[in-house]
Amino acid sequence: MLLQLKDIDKDYMQDKLPVPVLKKINFNVSDGEYVAIMGPSGSGKSTMMNIIGCLDKQTAGEFLFDGTDIAQCSDKQLSIIRNKKIGFVFQNFNLMPRQSAVENVELPLLYAGVKKSERRKRAKEALVRVGLEERMYFKPTQLSGGQKQRVAIARAIVNKPRLLLADEPTGALDTKSGDQVMELFKELNDEGVTIVMITHEPEIAQCAKRIVYIRDGELFAREGESL
Ligand SMILES: Nc1ncnc2c1ncn2[C@@H]1O[C@H](COP(=O)(O)OP(=O)(O)OP(=O)(O)O)[C@@H](O)[C@H]1O
Ligand SMILES: [Mg+2]
């Protein structure tokens, strides 16, 4: 099992009082799965994503990533897990504005300590993989939304992560660019990458092999399906 969330609670403190945002979440994701998490605004999707992505810790319950108890990890250990095992894709791309596509894609390799020539080679391969071989030296401002998101996907996969985590990956894209991103996700999942994707668009969620729903911090599956 790649992800195991057991009775996860997350509270945020507001005026010194805890406000519950995630309530007893139980959720398992096996290697190779492709899961969509759907739910209305404010329901706790990004909060859950931050825990799965080892960016934040739960208030209570247990989260195992690839068998590792994340609550017991130091910040250093967490940054290594994030760098080596998880690729992140966000709604607004989060690219470095002054750096070219290939430099953006190289960044995770720089943090991983990969040497320069190898970094460039692998970043270029990732950009070819997402169909951007013609745009390697373009800056984000010179790219369309769909192209920017493909750079972000190249950056997310350049370290060959076990898990691709995407928070509204098509939220800022037109339908055609969104479809291209979904096509890419499907190919990556066929190649064995586990994907967990947040979306509030039903047509996008349909691209996943399993859909779970979050409402007011509680997670649900469709009847007959598991969490
Ligand atoms: N850092 C924080 N401090 C306090 N409250 C927070 C914090 N982050 C999120 N919240 C609250 O937690 C709840 C869930 O937020 P979250 O961002 O997880 O929602 P979401 O489902 O991702 O919504 P959206 O679809 O709008 O992105 C919201 O009520 C929000 O106000
Ligand atoms: Mg959100």
Side-chain angles (χ1 to χ4, degrees):
M1 196 70 74
L2 184 59
L3 304 174
Q4 284 177 276
L5 285 77
K6 299 180 195 167
D7 290 330
I8 292 286
D9 288 339
K10 176 70 183 178
D11 300 343
Y12 285 118
M13 294 306 283
Q14 229 155 38
D15 301 326
K16 295 183 184 155
L17 287 173
V19 179
V21 172
L22 298 180
K23 301 166 190 166
K24 294 265 174 294
I25 300 259
N26 285 288
F27 182 48
N28 290 322
V29 177
S30 308
D31 262 311
E33 276 204 89
Y34 184 177
V35 190
I37 302 174
M38 289 197 79
S41 182
S43 57
K45 301 184 298 295
S46 295
T47 302
M48 189 172 157
M49 193 70 137
N50 288 340
I51 291 173
I52 293 173
C54 307
L55 292 159
D56 198 2
K57 287 180 179 174
Q58 69 272 22
T59 309
E62 189 179 46
F63 170 43
L64 303 180
F65 185 104
D66 203 8
T68 301
D69 185 352
I70 290 303
Q72 306 300 324
C73 290
S74 66
D75 288 349
K76 179 93 200 286
Q77 287 169 319
L78 292 182
S79 63
I80 293 169
I81 291 173
R82 284 196 301 270
N83 181 253
K84 296 216 182 299
K85 298 194 178 183
I86 309 174
F88 293 90
V89 176
F90 302 95
Q91 177 169 0
N92 294 313
F93 327 124
N94 291 12
L95 298 175
M96 304 292 265
R98 280 179 235 290
Q99 301 194 296
S100 66
V102 73
E103 286 167 337
N104 268 282
V105 177
E106 276 181 37
L107 277 181
L109 300 172
L110 182 69
Y111 300 139
V114 176
K115 71 175 195 313
K116 193 169 177 18
S117 56
E118 177 72 14
R119 282 204 305 269
R120 190 49 62 105
K121 180 172 155 280
R122 283 168 56 184
K124 283 182 173 174
E125 283 167 5
L127 282 165
V128 170
R129 176 71 192 77
V130 300
L132 283 178
E133 56 272 45
E134 315 271 271
R135 300 279 188 280
M136 295 207 185
Y137 301 101
F138 282 49
K139 300 258 166 73
T141 51
Q142 299 167 318
L143 297 169
S144 70
Q147 289 167 343
K148 279 189 266 210
Q149 195 60 301
R150 283 188 281 149
V151 173
I153 294 167
R155 180 182 58 185
I157 62 172
V158 74
N159 254 340
K160 307 220 178 300
R162 296 277 297 278
L163 175 66
L164 187 64
L165 263 184
D167 194 346
E168 299 280 2
T170 63
L173 304 180
D174 60 83
T175 310
K176 184 161 170 281
S177 305
D179 288 347
Q180 283 177 350
V181 165
M182 286 304 97
E183 183 57 35
L184 211 43
F185 276 23
K186 185 187 178 304
E187 290 169 14
L188 291 168
N189 179 245
D190 287 343
E191 290 164 20
V193 180
T194 306
I195 302 179
V196 176
M197 167 175 79
I198 286 176
T199 181
H200 59 251
E201 297 173 72
E203 316 80 69
I204 295 296
Q206 290 305 328
C207 299
K209 292 179 185 161
R210 174 157 76 102
I211 306 176
V212 297
Y213 302 87
I214 186 166
R215 186 172 285 273
D216 287 334
E218 293 186 79
L219 200 69
F220 301 90
R222 271 186 293 204
E223 208 165 304
E225 291 186 18
S226 57
L227 280 173

